Amino acid sequence: MGGHAGNHAAEGLDVSSTKPPAGASFPEKGIASLESGANTAGNGGDGFFYGSIIHASLLIYEPINISISVGYGSVALANQSNDLNVDQSAFQMAGVGGHGGNNNIAAGGSISTFSGSGVIASGDNSAGNGGSGHFSGAIVDAPVVIYHPINIALASSGGTAHASQSNTVDIDQSATQIAGVGGSGGHGNVAAGGSVITLDPSWGSSIFDVQTGGSQAGNGGDGMFYGELVHTSFVVYNPINIAIAGYGSSAYAVQINDVSVDQSAVQIAGIGGHGGNDNAAAGGHANLLSHNPWGGSDTIATGSNSAGNGGNGYFAGSLIDVSVAIYAPINIAIAGPHSTAVADQVNNVHIDQSATQIAGVGGDGGSGNLALGGDAAHLLSDLHLVA
């Protein structure tokens, strides 16, 4: 998982170059490349995950309570009270990009040159962007609970059998699974390309490419997910309460069950981060003056700036939520001839098998953002016009 960013400033140093004098070696050659851009400040780190995260917990709970009374007129009592709380919840997160910071500045330095150059680059700066989240693999949550209490009371002829069972059960098998989510962009960030000024009084040099754009500020990172999110929860709840009495006897079986089972799931995958607010991304100014009738620049790029855009969401795979709850309480009272049999059962059951599944969603764009291309001026000498 990528880390979050704070407040920073990154700025390229100003660059100035002058073409060598005529007496120097290789006087016809300028500078191959001038770069003062590609600065970063306050960007959230990318998160990469490849593999599997598996949570598979198992609980088997089988309390047994038996009471047997032998002899005429005897009494058998079996009382069982169970308060059970099982927490098998899972929070699984992988491949999540960090959020971009706030109030950061990343700027390319100014470039001034009096000679030809292959490439002049002062753009491609970034500030306060959320990191991208990359996930490839599987996240699996498969908890199992088997709860099987048994309560038995046996009494002979003329006797009394009383079996009482009270169960208060809370089972939490909920899961939150998050994978391949881009971090959100920060607020109040500035990314700007440095200004470029070229004065070329010579006849043999030119500039092939001038780049002052491509700056980004406060954009949400992309979320990319390839794989599976699986939540398969399983509960078997089977309380048994039995009272048996012989001839001329009484049998009472009482069972009270308060059960809460949470098998809910939240699955989020391939979600783009939200764009930030009040960010600015601008291309630097480019001013070119050439005296060379065959000179100038092939490309002047001051655009492709972006600010406060939501990240893209990419999802390829499966979101699987399979919840199984088997609830089968049994309450039995048996009495012989001239006997009384009473079986009471009270069940208060709450089972939540809800699921929220979100995948492949782009982030929202921010507010109050500004993305501007820089001004470009290409001035040719009179020789160009004559030619």
Side-chain angles (χ1 to χ4, degrees):
M1 182 162 44
H4 304 312
N7 301 332
H8 300 85
E11 185 173 1
L13 298 177
D14 295 340
V15 177
S16 177
S17 80
T18 302
K19 187 175 180 178
S25 50
F26 305 107
E28 73 282 0
K29 292 186 178 181
I31 298 174
S33 177
L34 291 175
E35 298 181 1
S36 69
N39 303 289
T40 63
N43 297 304
D46 295 334
F48 299 89
F49 179 88
Y50 305 96
S52 300
I53 296 178
I54 299 175
H55 173 239
S57 56
L58 172 65
L59 173 66
I60 299 176
Y61 182 57
E62 293 184 321
I64 299 175
N65 188 37
I66 299 175
S67 176
I68 300 176
S69 180
V70 180
Y72 184 84
S74 62
V75 177
L77 302 176
N79 296 316
Q80 188 180 90
S81 178
N82 299 301
D83 293 319
L84 178 66
N85 183 281
V86 179
D87 184 1
Q88 292 180 323
S89 61
F91 184 87
Q92 299 167 309
M93 179 182 292
V96 179
H99 299 308
N102 302 321
N103 306 319
N104 300 286
I105 298 175
S110 300
I111 296 177
S112 301
T113 177
F114 292 90
S115 65
S117 176
V119 177
I120 297 178
S122 68
D124 199 23
N125 304 288
S126 61
N129 297 298
S132 297
H134 305 265
F135 178 90
S136 178
I139 293 181
V140 179
D141 176 46
V144 176
V145 170
I146 299 175
Y147 179 54
H148 186 54
I150 298 175
N151 193 44
I152 300 174
L154 301 174
S156 59
S157 299
T160 300
H162 188 185
S164 176
Q165 187 181 91
S166 176
N167 298 300
T168 301
V169 180
D170 181 16
I171 299 174
D172 184 1
Q173 292 181 325
S174 61
T176 300
Q177 299 170 315
I178 301 173
V181 178
S184 297
H187 308 294
N189 299 286
V190 176
S195 60
V196 174
I197 300 175
T198 69
L199 300 175
D200 182 15
S202 67
W203 284 72
S205 60
S206 63
I207 299 170
F208 296 113
D209 197 0
V210 177
Q211 301 171 355
T212 68
S215 297
Q216 301 182 16
N219 297 302
D222 293 335
M224 286 157 279
F225 177 90
Y226 305 94
E228 293 184 342
L229 294 183
V230 180
H231 175 236
T232 57
S233 54
F234 185 76
V235 171
V236 176
Y237 180 55
N238 182 218
I240 298 176
N241 192 44
I242 299 174
I244 300 176
Y247 178 86
S249 59
S250 299
Y252 301 94
V254 179
Q255 188 181 85
I256 299 174
N257 297 300
D258 293 313
V259 180
S260 175
V261 179
D262 184 0
Q263 294 177 321
S264 61
V266 177
Q267 297 172 312
I268 300 174
I271 308 298
H274 298 307
N277 301 322
D278 304 319
N279 299 284
H285 301 306
N287 298 288
L288 281 73
L289 175 61
S290 176
H291 289 80
N292 182 1
W294 301 278
S297 174
D298 292 337
T299 303
I300 300 176
T302 66
S304 296
N305 306 289
S306 61
N309 297 300
N312 296 316
Y314 302 93
F315 177 88
S318 301
L319 296 181
I320 300 174
D321 176 49
V322 179
S323 298
V324 177
I326 299 175
Y327 180 62
I330 298 175
N331 191 42
I332 300 174
I334 300 176
H338 306 288
S339 300
T340 300
V342 178
D344 293 326
Q345 188 180 82
V346 178
N347 296 300
N348 297 311
V349 181
H350 175 73
I351 299 175
D352 183 0
Q353 293 181 325
S354 62
T356 300
Q357 298 172 313
I358 302 173
V361 180
D364 297 328
S367 303
N369 297 287
L370 190 65
L372 297 174
D375 297 331
H378 191 177
L379 303 179
L380 303 179
S381 67
D382 293 339
L383 292 176
H384 281 78
L385 301 178
V386 172

